[in-house]
Amino acid sequence: IVQDFINWAKNRAIPVGPGRGSGAGSLVAYALRITDLDPIPYGLLFERFLNPERVSMPDFDIDFCMNRRGEVIDYVTEKYGQNNVGQIATFGGLKARGVIKDVGRVLGLTFGETDRLSKMVPEVLGITLEQALEQEPKLRQACDEDDRIRDLMDIALNLEGLLKSTGMHAAGVVIGDQPLWKYCPVFTGANDELVTQFAKDEVEEAGLVKFDFLGLKTLTVIDEAVQMVNRELAAADQLDLNAQSLDDPAVYKLISKGETEGVFQLESSGFKELLKKLKPDKFEDIVAAVALYRPGPLNSGMLDDFIARKHGRQRIAYPHDSLAEVLQETYGVIVYQEQVMQIARAMAGFTLGAADLLRRAMGKKKLDVMAAQREVFKSGSKERGVDEKVAGEIFDLMEKFAEYGFNKSHSAAYALLTFQTAYLKAHHPVEFMASLLTNDRDNADK
């Protein structure tokens, strides 16, 4: 039935990326071709996305081809009414790249110097300067070698995060059942579009539903590369990336060598070194690498354990025998938020809804909630024959890893784009590089 539905829905006009929902939400999205990632083989949990026991609104981000995002906004505006649809205000802060440029300008560095420095900051959403210094050795080296750059970075670290402007959210769109000004103050943007005067969290509190329609350059690169490939192929031989096996050896060979310039998410020098050590040979390894290459896991030693266990240099051990199935794909290391939830279910009989609330409490360090949940966990584990002391130790372990755990649904969806860009680079390098160069034509360094 699902396959018939997919075939019926297949002829969509706009390239659409793998929406970052999960579980049953993702299954519906998969059937509708909103997402190209099947959630079932990868254990993407329904309750991680839409939890019956959660009171906040669900959030579904969808990536669109960058060049045609405007058509999506035009569509919802026409469907729901011009006064009922608007974009969301942002209050611009001094972020990692911007603060380097602003401080550098005041200190008298040339545009070229500050531009080069700012581009050393990895392209990761929400990254801080402190994280950039940890992840990008070249940035740390530049500070060590040049007193002016060290002074710039000291000032920038102090100013980072301060607010400096009002703008419009790059992706956020709100839709109401009546004109937006019934819910919150609005203003008009540069193109006469309605913009809320509340930021993204406040518009939800005001009663509006928020959607994220993101324009992602990678989807545009993929789409244009595939079009170039298919221009040379007969109708029966047209390339369909979603039909390609995720076990392609050429892709993993390219990634394991660190030849990932232009490959989605894997371009930083630090990530390239990681890939040479990890030598991914299956899709799940890419998903895990994307989740682990962040300051928390890097500093905790989780990544080293993961690599050593994958290559047999360290014994794979599980906190309890009942958790082997939950942690098998990550070699006994707790990598994902979903694994914290599955441990609570497997050991203590939590519903996945209750396990998601536990995960959220752990991630946000809600001490009172965790203290109560610890007793529930120990009691449930005892009923299933687990020693109370062991159960307490495993709860502590879950609590520690909940700080570092990453949303597997997000990681898996983006890993699919990583795989697809690597596939194009491995099998169709001319078309891929042509598309990449075209879409980076405004970036002289690239």
Side-chain angles (χ1 to χ4, degrees):
I1 292 168
V2 171
Q3 188 58 54
D4 287 345
F5 196 79
I6 289 168
N7 291 339
W8 174 81
K10 197 167 185 178
N11 294 321
R12 67 187 189 278
I14 300 175
V16 178
R20 301 194 294 278
S22 39
S26 267
L27 188 58
V28 172
Y30 178 58
L32 289 169
R33 294 304 294 271
I34 293 169
T35 171
D36 293 321
L37 185 69
D38 182 351
I40 292 175
Y42 306 109
L44 308 182
L45 302 177
F46 166 67
E47 285 79 2
R48 179 63 188 81
F49 169 61
L50 186 60
N51 182 354
E53 298 176 48
R54 166 181 161 181
V55 294
S56 57
M57 290 288 284
D59 183 20
F60 208 135
D61 298 350
I62 313 171
D63 295 330
F64 293 94
C65 169
M66 185 173 62
N67 292 343
R68 303 185 67 187
R69 174 178 175 266
E71 292 178 44
V72 181
I73 294 173
D74 290 345
Y75 167 76
V76 293
T77 302
E78 186 178 327
K79 182 172 178 66
Y80 298 107
Q82 190 166 5
N83 295 331
N84 296 17
V85 176
Q87 299 196 49
I88 301 172
T90 56
F91 301 100
L94 289 163
K95 296 188 178 175
R97 289 189 168 195
V99 74
I100 288 174
K101 289 185 175 181
D102 287 349
V103 173
R105 187 173 62 250
V106 173
L107 293 181
L109 276 74
T110 67
F111 172 80
E113 287 175 313
T114 55
D115 191 51
R116 179 178 63 84
L117 274 177
S118 70
K119 284 171 181 169
M120 289 181 190
V121 176
E123 288 191 44
V124 177
L125 187 66
I127 193 167
T128 64
L129 283 178
E130 194 174 329
Q131 291 167 347
L133 287 164
E134 290 173 1
Q135 292 182 31
E136 184 49 78
K138 290 179 183 174
L139 191 59
R140 174 71 67 184
Q141 184 182 349
C143 292
D144 293 340
E145 292 176 353
D146 190 328
D147 291 343
R148 296 175 311 142
I149 293 173
R150 185 166 57 251
D151 290 344
L152 181 156
M153 201 59 68
D154 287 342
I155 296 168
L157 282 162
N158 282 293
L159 294 179
E160 186 181 18
L162 295 178
L163 299 181
K164 70 166 193 172
S165 62
T166 304
M168 197 165 73
H169 195 284
V173 173
V174 287
I175 302 176
D177 58 350
Q178 53 185 327
L180 296 182
W181 53 77
K182 301 277 187 181
Y183 293 96
C184 68
V186 296
F187 66 95
T188 52
N191 300 311
D192 290 331
E193 67 271 61
L194 281 184
V195 186
T196 69
Q197 290 192 42
F198 288 172
K200 60 186 179 68
D201 293 333
E202 289 76 29
V203 291
E204 288 188 296
E205 290 177 25
L208 291 163
V209 182
K210 177 176 72 72
F211 301 84
D212 275 353
F213 298 154
L214 298 109
L216 187 64
K217 182 180 70 178
T218 301
L219 284 167
T220 310
V221 170
I222 291 171
D223 183 52
E224 291 178 0
V226 170
Q227 285 183 44
M228 280 188 269
V229 171
N230 285 338
R231 277 205 291 267
E232 308 298 323
L233 297 175
D237 301 323
Q238 295 283 290
L239 172 63
D240 178 359
L241 285 178
N242 294 319
Q244 305 308 312
S245 166
L246 294 177
D247 298 324
D248 189 306
V251 171
Y252 297 103
K253 184 178 178 183
L254 178 141
I255 290 174
S256 295
K257 286 181 177 178
E259 294 175 359
T260 51
E261 196 67 45
V263 176
F264 185 56
Q265 300 189 106
L266 310 186
E267 292 193 77
S268 75
S269 59
F271 217 134
K272 289 175 184 176
E273 291 306 310
L274 158 64
L275 295 170
K276 290 175 189 174
K277 292 177 189 172
L278 178 61
K279 299 198 181 306
D281 56 8
K282 57 184 179 180
F283 183 68
E284 287 84 350
D285 285 347
I286 300 176
V287 179
V290 169
L292 286 167
Y293 192 72
R294 293 174 300 112
L298 285 170
N299 293 334
S300 72
M302 287 167 62
L303 188 52
D304 296 331
D305 289 344
F306 187 91
I307 292 170
R309 291 182 182 194
K310 174 176 171 57
H311 294 295
R313 295 192 295 272
Q314 187 183 110
R315 187 173 68 86
I316 296 173
Y318 301 105
H320 191 268
D321 291 344
S322 65
L323 304 181
E325 187 177 343
V326 173
L327 299 176
Q328 184 176 11
E329 70 168 300
T330 52
Y331 312 106
V333 179
I334 303 172
V335 174
Y336 307 117
Q337 295 169 351
E338 286 86 343
Q339 287 175 318
V340 170
M341 294 166 60
Q342 288 168 320
I343 289 170
R345 180 175 67 169
M347 281 204 67
F350 276 55
T351 66
L352 281 174
D356 185 51
L357 297 178
L358 170 64
R359 172 197 63 77
R360 288 162 66 86
M362 285 179 165
K364 294 182 178 180
K365 294 186 169 59
K366 293 184 177 177
L367 300 179
D368 53 337
V369 178
M370 285 194 290
Q373 290 294 326
R374 172 187 284 275
E375 296 310 312
V376 176
F377 183 86
K378 285 165 68 174
S379 172
S381 299
K382 189 175 180 182
E383 287 174 18
R384 285 160 181 75
V386 180
D387 180 77
E388 199 169 334
K389 182 170 182 268
V390 172
E393 288 169 356
I394 291 172
F395 189 91
D396 292 339
L397 194 67
M398 288 164 60
E399 191 177 333
K400 173 189 169 187
F401 280 98
E403 293 178 35
Y404 304 135
F406 196 71
N407 177 347
K408 186 182 180 185
S409 304
H410 182 123
S411 195
Y414 265 14
L416 182 61
L417 293 186
T418 300
F419 179 89
Q420 290 180 345
T421 49
Y423 178 93
L424 286 168
K425 187 168 186 180
H427 293 284
H428 305 282
V430 173
E431 292 85 353
F432 175 68
M433 292 307 295
S435 178
L436 195 65
L437 286 162
T438 299
N439 282 285
D440 275 327
R441 63 188 176 273
D442 295 328
N443 184 327
D445 288 349
K446 285 206 169 186

